Amino acid sequence: MRRVTLKATGLARVLPGAVPVTLVRDISLEVTAGEFVAITGPSGSGKSSLLYLLGLLDRPSAGSVEVDGQPTADMSGDQLAALRLAKLGFVFQFHFLLPEFSAAENVMVPLQRAGRLDSRAIAEWAAGLLAMLGLADAADKRPDQLSGGQRQRVAIARALANDPLVLLADEPTGSLDSVNARIVWESFADLAHKQQKTVIVVTHNAAFAAAADRRVHLVDGRIVSDRPATA
Amino acid sequence: MGLLARIALAHLRGRVRQSLVSVLGVATGVGFFIAVAALMEGSQRDFIATLVDAIPHITIRDEFRNPAPQPIRAANPDAAVQLDGLKPKDELRGIRNARARLAALDSISGLVAAPSLRGQVVLRYGGKDMGVSLIGIEPARERRVSQLEADLVQGRLEDLHTAANAIIVGTVLAEKLGARVGDTLLASSAAGIRLRVKVVGLFRTGVMGVDRGQAYALLKKVQVLQERPNVINEIRVKVGDVYQAAVIARDLEARLGYRAESWDEANEGFLDALRIRNIILYSVVGAILLVASFGIFNIISTVTYEKARDIAILKALGFAERDIRWIFTAEGLVVGAIGAALGWGLGYLLCRVLSQVEITLQSETRTLPLYEAPAFYALALGFALASAGFAAYLPARRAARLNPVDIVRGAQ
């Protein structure tokens, strides 16, 4: 039986206000290591909100999230940050690379923050990640010297820097051309299948979603279908 | 260099011009803080030195700080006593047993004392009358307790012995009377005695009140003029450490019973004025640093606004709120530290320039009194770092509280 890396139970997120807005409701989900999951749905269906809840960036109004068997409901902000640093990796639609740092330095940021390796090992590890994503020649370039696809792959390398259990990506191919989008998508598939990472990707692209192992479809904040993508 | 520090410096390098303006603001504040502090402390020390030289460190007078309690009150301390028709006792003024007390003071290590009789007289010369405080002294003892001899610009202290009724007056008094050394003045006391006195010397202390309102003659002559033979109404004391004068004065007062007034108690008003001057000047200089801290607040606020996406991704990557606070507070502290370092140089240069400025006071030309101390540099650095740190902390705290989800949603 595969290891459950992420488990959501009865998740709901309501934005308070004069007219409360429900982003997601009653969502229960289990994802295992090596699984490549695509979350799909129309705009406003709560895909990104669900991803942020699963990634511990947002706190649920109801329900709970467990990461690698650890309940997170009672954790402080700093504890959640430490858990994100150790076990989760994020990729967003925009790369959000630090503009003053080179590609390699951007990848080294989470490694240096974690402080588990010495500076030489950190540099070697970052170089290895960039090489794995086909960016060996771009290590010393700043983000403004890279193409859109290269930037997004640097962002993926950064998300993988601390060897996370779970990689969460929010529309990672949304700002890329079709060639670069396919390269990025294939990278995710490789990470899940070859490195046994849990990869959860929000996407609008039906073709890409079909290439995942599992497709979770949301409408109005609820899961309306959860089945193998190829089915 | 640590990761957080590298991020902080990268942010500052991204806004070179704004950072430079903030650094210059802090440098200006720190530089002027050091220069003004040196000038204030120098002028204050100079003023106090002049004052301390011009007057006795402690003056013991033939008076009491508190009136003696009525015997009936002393006998019934808890009773409600009303006394009517009281008349003060006609005390014989003067310090009793003065010579014995003087000897007792001389025996205390670190103290020297001199007797004197002080009384008001009117000096007349050329139809002009000036009321002065005439102090009867013994020159041999006087030179042990006062700077009178050093302050003489004409004549010598021994000259008081050379003429029959010799007097030494202040330069300002002599100028107002139009008298010079060798002239004879008419001195009239409240006792109705008149004496012709000859000016044998002039002194200048630099304290206007002393130079205009005091004169010195032999103790015996003043006792005759005041019609108070063998009476001493003041014992003037010199101490080793002038800043301990108040403590010693309290001790002497407790021993002798007579009021003992230290130089700083006697000039409390002046010293209060100096304190107020210090507060005002430090406030003005502090305002410069405050304005500089507004600049730091502005730049850090701008950077946090511009770097909202960076903050979001750093938090998503697992940076804690305290990391974010640290990054932006460090940016302010870096600006403060660089500004303070430049300000030290500016302050040093300003002190060098000020030390060359010459001023002319009472026909005496001298340079501005400066007192430079490492403490001023440390104080300026501390103030600069504290204001910079506080100015940066406010936007840093706000940045740390940013919700990454809001920023990511906004960006997308």
Side-chain angles (χ1 to χ4, degrees):
Chain A
M1 190 175 172
R2 279 182 164 180
R3 172 184 179 188
V4 176
T5 51
L6 207 55
K7 180 180 177 185
T9 309
L11 273 189
R13 179 72 171 102
V14 180
L15 294 180
V19 181
V21 178
T22 302
L23 300 176
V24 294
R25 65 190 85 195
D26 195 26
I27 286 184
S28 296
L29 192 68
E30 271 190 17
V31 193
T32 58
E35 200 171 13
F36 183 13
V37 180
I39 299 176
T40 59
S43 291
S45 59
K47 305 183 294 295
S48 295
S49 299
L50 174 59
L51 194 81
Y52 300 148
L53 290 170
L54 295 174
L56 311 178
L57 283 178
D58 200 6
R59 286 184 186 269
S61 309
S64 62
V65 176
E66 286 180 20
V67 177
D68 198 24
Q70 270 185 280
T72 62
D74 298 327
M75 284 188 175
S76 67
D78 284 356
Q79 286 173 318
L80 291 176
L83 195 56
R84 282 198 298 272
L85 182 69
K87 297 194 171 175
L88 304 178
F90 285 92
V91 180
F92 298 99
Q93 181 175 354
F94 293 102
H95 52 82
F96 290 142
L97 298 175
L98 301 181
E100 300 89 355
F101 288 8
S102 68
E105 286 171 331
N106 266 285
V107 177
M108 286 191 274
V109 164
L111 290 161
Q112 289 171 326
R113 180 64 192 87
R116 288 193 293 263
L117 302 173
D118 61 35
S119 55
R120 189 172 175 174
I122 285 173
E124 285 174 0
W125 181 254
L129 284 171
L130 288 172
M132 183 184 86
L133 290 159
L135 292 166
D137 296 338
D140 295 329
K141 291 182 177 172
R142 291 176 186 273
D144 58 2
Q145 297 169 313
L146 301 173
S147 70
Q150 286 176 314
R151 289 176 199 163
Q152 199 61 307
R153 278 182 283 155
V154 174
I156 294 169
R158 181 179 61 184
L160 295 170
N162 278 330
D163 195 21
L165 280 178
V166 182
L167 183 66
L168 301 122
D170 189 8
E171 301 272 12
T173 57
S175 59
L176 302 179
D177 59 50
S178 59
V179 176
N180 277 306
R182 183 165 302 283
I183 293 170
V184 167
W185 200 261
E186 285 168 358
S187 302
F188 286 139
D190 285 348
L191 288 168
H193 301 143
K194 294 180 181 169
Q195 297 190 29
Q196 291 301 296
K197 306 282 181 206
T198 298
V199 180
I200 303 175
V201 184
V202 166
T203 183
H204 269 114
N205 190 310
F208 285 145
D213 301 333
R214 176 178 166 192
R215 180 174 177 175
V216 176
H217 192 69
L218 265 61
V219 175
D220 291 338
R222 290 180 195 277
I223 295 176
V224 294
S225 73
D226 182 355
R227 58 190 176 187
T230 49
Chain B
M1 190 189 300
L3 171 66
L4 301 183
R6 283 200 299 125
I7 294 173
L9 290 180
H11 286 171
L12 290 176
R13 277 199 298 271
R15 300 197 70 84
V16 173
R17 191 184 298 175
Q18 266 189 316
S19 302
L20 198 60
V21 169
S22 297
V23 162
L24 290 178
V26 175
T28 306
V30 167
F32 276 88
F33 183 96
I34 291 167
V36 170
L39 197 56
M40 282 195 302
E41 188 66 22
S43 63
Q44 184 166 320
R45 281 174 182 259
D46 185 63
F47 177 77
I48 288 175
T50 306
L51 191 67
V52 167
D53 283 349
I55 61 171
H57 298 168
I58 298 170
T59 305
I60 300 165
R61 293 202 177 85
D62 61 337
E63 56 190 52
F64 303 95
R65 200 172 286 274
N66 298 308
Q70 291 294 328
I72 191 163
R73 288 194 199 279
N76 303 280
D78 299 327
V81 179
Q82 182 176 327
L83 298 171
D84 294 321
L86 274 178
K87 284 176 69 179
K89 190 178 170 186
D90 211 0
E91 294 268 9
L92 191 63
R93 296 298 300 271
I95 296 173
R96 289 178 192 167
N97 249 341
R99 290 290 165 187
R101 291 178 193 275
L102 208 53
L105 287 174
D106 278 343
S107 69
I108 299 174
S109 169
L111 298 188
V112 284
S116 61
L117 175 65
R118 182 191 289 263
Q120 294 300 310
V121 298
V122 173
L123 294 178
R124 169 173 289 187
Y125 182 72
K128 288 182 187 169
D129 290 336
M130 293 289 291
V132 301
S133 188
L134 181 62
I135 303 168
I137 59 171
E138 294 176 352
R141 278 184 170 271
E142 185 65 20
R143 60 170 55 95
R144 297 164 59 196
V145 300
S146 83
Q147 289 286 314
L148 179 59
E149 192 167 35
D151 291 336
L152 286 173
V153 291
Q154 268 189 279
R156 296 173 306 151
L157 215 48
E158 286 78 21
D159 291 344
L160 286 174
H161 293 292
T162 58
N165 295 315
I167 191 170
I168 294 172
V169 299
T171 49
V172 178
L173 176 64
E175 194 179 327
K176 287 196 178 292
L177 287 171
R180 290 182 293 184
V181 171
D183 291 339
T184 301
L185 318 177
L186 181 64
S188 309
S189 72
I193 309 287
R194 290 180 170 199
L195 277 181
R196 292 207 168 272
V197 293
K198 185 178 178 184
V199 179
V200 295
L202 299 177
F203 65 85
R204 181 169 63 218
T205 64
V207 179
M208 181 66 85
V210 174
D211 294 347
R212 186 181 56 197
Q214 282 191 6
Y216 294 88
L218 287 178
L219 178 60
K220 291 287 180 194
K221 300 295 177 188
V222 177
Q223 285 170 341
V224 170
L225 189 60
Q226 299 290 351
E227 209 177 14
R228 300 173 76 181
N230 298 317
V231 172
I232 290 166
N233 66 1
E234 273 185 1
I235 296 174
R236 290 176 298 146
V237 180
K238 187 176 182 182
V239 299
D241 181 359
V242 293
Y243 292 100
Q244 288 298 312
V247 177
I248 297 169
R250 277 197 295 278
D251 179 49
L252 294 181
E253 186 165 317
R255 285 189 194 202
L256 304 176
Y258 289 108
R259 182 187 179 105
E261 193 176 63
S262 62
W263 66 270
D264 39 355
E265 186 188 352
N267 292 281
E268 211 164 350
F270 276 126
L271 297 176
D272 282 346
L274 284 178
R275 284 188 202 105
I276 291 169
R277 183 194 71 150
N278 287 354
I279 290 169
I280 292 169
L281 285 175
Y282 275 120
S283 300
V284 170
V285 179
I288 300 174
L289 280 175
L290 191 65
V291 171
S293 69
F294 284 141
I296 293 171
F297 178 85
N298 184 44
I299 183 177
I300 304 301
S301 293
T302 308
V303 170
T304 57
Y305 179 76
E306 285 181 348
K307 298 295 178 184
R309 289 183 180 187
D310 290 6
I311 294 167
I313 194 62
L314 290 174
K315 291 184 85 169
L317 289 174
F319 281 61
E321 285 193 6
R322 65 172 175 277
D323 297 327
I324 308 296
R325 273 198 304 273
W326 195 98
I327 289 171
F328 292 101
T329 305
E331 289 176 23
L333 288 173
V334 167
V335 169
I338 296 173
L342 289 176
W344 279 7
L346 178 64
Y348 182 79
L349 281 178
L350 283 172
C351 286
R352 298 285 69 73
V353 171
L354 287 172
S355 67
Q356 302 297 317
V357 175
E358 290 188 339
I359 52 168
T360 302
L361 293 172
Q362 294 177 357
S363 72
E364 187 186 352
T365 301
R366 50 178 301 191
T367 54
L368 283 174
L370 284 179
Y371 180 81
E372 292 179 70
F376 297 150
Y377 287 79
L379 197 63
L381 172 69
F383 194 18
L385 288 182
S387 57
F390 183 68
Y393 180 77
L394 297 176
R397 191 178 60 167
R398 198 182 57 218
R401 288 177 178 170
L402 284 176
N403 184 350
V405 172
D406 294 340
I407 300 164
V408 171
R409 280 186 194 284
Q412 293 184 172

